[in-house]
């Protein structure tokens, strides 16, 4: 098979943005390590023309990044191209402001957690491992951030963010509908299989059951995420819609989805450090 431009860009830019970071690691780095990563990010992006970055605190509206780009259309007028999730919310704000800790400095054991509580029954351990292909897996009480990625390219949904590109349009607009979820061992909780259902509607691939009852999404201009960008800027422009309220989801349905989905997703991805540098943040209007 010929090595297309699409494959080249996906390999060099998009795939590392969601690469797994060994989230089963028990290593916890010091504040100094995270501070050094933030310093290197600032140095590596200074004067280089990078656009606003993600993730961010959605309750903090200020930003000083001067690079602007046109917001992507509403997601219902775009094609869903990929669904994946991170363990620990990458964004901060709304109902997820509890810091998980520094983790291993490579995206594991960090991010933000649901501020609320689950019942003892909801926290009952599952019978088997959940989404454990690349680590210890998920357990009841875990917080995840799910990314429903959309593109203006004419594509079919598939694995990795490379599915969001087309050989015929190399600079499609991208939008991520983000939903933070807390996992409960509860059959009455929302089914992830329903949330991640994919179908065609009005000529576009869609996830028609993206939650609409978790608050008004905070919309802002940012980038792709993932721990590979802890010390360098992401070059991809992304329009974000991040819901401020957390959905309670049946962990067993997440396990079922990891066993069989069209995106070949079988584990949670790592978390990029929260971007704090005002020069790397857009203004939220």
């Amino acid at each position: 098979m010929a090595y297309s431009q699409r494959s080249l860009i996906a390999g060099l830019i998009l795939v590392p943005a969601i690469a797994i970071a060994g989230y089963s690691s028990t290593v916890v780095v010091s504040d100094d390590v995270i501070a050094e990563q933030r310093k290197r990010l600032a140095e590596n992006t200074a004067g280089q023309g990078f656009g606003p970055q993600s993730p961010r605190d959605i309750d903090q509206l200020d930003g000083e990044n001067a690079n602007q780009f046109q917001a992507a259309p509403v997601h219902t007028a775009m094609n869903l191209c990929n669904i994946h999730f991170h363990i620990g919310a990458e964004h901060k704000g709304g109902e997820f402001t509890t810091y998980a800790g520094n983790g291993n400095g490579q995206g594991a054991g960090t991010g933000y957690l649901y501020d609320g509580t689950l019942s003892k029954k909801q926290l009952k351990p599952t019978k088997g491992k959940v989404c454990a292909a690349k680590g210890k897996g998920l357990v009841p009480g875990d917080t995840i951030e799910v990314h429903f990625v959309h593109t203006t390219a004419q594509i079919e949904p598939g694995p990795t963010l490379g599915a969001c590109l087309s050989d015929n349009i190399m600079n499609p607009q991208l939008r991520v509908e983000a939903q933070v979820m807390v996992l409960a061992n509860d059959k009455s909780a929302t089914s992830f299989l329903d949330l991640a259902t994919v179908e065609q509607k009005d000529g576009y691939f869609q996830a028609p059951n993206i939650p609409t009852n978790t608050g008004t999404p905070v919309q802002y201009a940012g980038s792709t995420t993932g721990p590979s960008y802890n010390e360098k800027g992401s070059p991809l422009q992304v329009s974000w819609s991040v819901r401020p309220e957390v959905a309670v989801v049946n962990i067993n349905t997440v396990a079922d989805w990891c066993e069989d989905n069209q995106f070949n997703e079988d584990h949670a991805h790592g978390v990029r450090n929260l971007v704090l540098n005002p020069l790397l943040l857009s203004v939220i209007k």
Side-chain angles (χ1 to χ4, degrees), residues 22-273:
Y23 64 87
S24 63
S25 172
T26 58
V27 174
V28 177
V29 301
S30 68
D31 291 346
D32 290 342
V33 171
I34 303 301
E36 181 63 24
Q37 290 179 335
R38 296 190 190 284
K39 178 182 176 182
R40 290 177 182 173
L41 175 62
E43 293 172 346
N44 291 334
T45 55
Q48 299 300 308
F50 280 96
Q53 299 290 295
S54 300
R56 66 177 294 164
D57 184 337
I58 59 172
D59 293 334
Q60 170 56 254
L61 306 184
D62 296 333
E64 299 177 12
N65 190 282
N67 292 321
Q68 300 182 10
F69 58 89
Q70 184 177 3
V74 294
H75 71 90
T76 52
M78 304 175 73
N79 280 308
L80 176 83
C81 52
N82 183 261
I83 299 175
H84 65 272
F85 58 83
H86 301 253
I87 183 167
E90 289 202 290
H91 287 86
K92 176 187 178 184
E95 295 182 337
F96 39 96
T97 63
T98 302
Y99 187 46
N102 294 336
N104 68 353
Q106 300 176 27
T110 189
Y112 291 85
L113 308 178
Y114 174 47
D115 297 329
T117 59
L118 299 179
S119 69
K120 184 177 180 180
K121 184 177 180 180
Q122 289 176 314
L123 292 171
K124 182 180 178 181
T126 57
K127 293 182 179 179
K129 292 185 177 181
V130 177
C131 305
K134 296 289 181 69
K136 67 180 179 62
L138 304 172
V139 298
D142 277 346
T143 299
I144 63 173
E145 181 173 319
V146 184
H147 293 166
F148 299 87
V149 190
H150 298 75
T151 179
T152 52
Q154 295 183 14
I155 51 77
E156 292 189 3
T160 81
L161 293 184
C164 303
L165 300 178
S166 165
D167 288 338
N168 299 322
I169 176 171
M170 300 311 295
N171 61 338
Q173 290 178 286
L174 300 173
R175 175 174 291 280
V176 176
E177 298 292 321
Q179 176 65 61
V180 176
M181 305 179 184
V182 62
L183 306 181
N185 195 348
D186 184 351
K187 292 182 179 179
S188 66
T190 301
S191 168
F192 190 81
L193 294 174
D194 289 342
L195 296 178
T197 295
V198 178
E199 60 184 45
Q200 282 189 286
K201 185 175 182 180
D202 298 328
Y204 297 103
F205 288 102
Q206 293 284 295
N209 299 325
I210 295 174
T212 57
N213 61 347
T214 49
T216 302
V218 175
Q219 301 197 41
Y220 77 94
S223 69
T224 51
T225 64
S228 63
Y229 293 120
N230 278 347
E231 299 183 13
K232 63 182 180 180
S234 166
L236 270 294
Q237 298 175 335
V238 177
S239 296
W240 283 87
S241 297
V242 185
R243 288 147 182 79
E245 298 173 15
V246 173
V248 181
V249 172
N250 181 354
I251 189 172
N252 298 293
T253 62
V254 178
D256 291 340
W257 187 79
C258 279
E259 290 295 324
D260 183 19
N261 64 81
Q262 68 194 88
F263 308 103
N264 294 341
E265 291 290 326
D266 55 15
H267 63 277
H269 297 274
V271 169
R272 185 186 189 183
N273 294 339

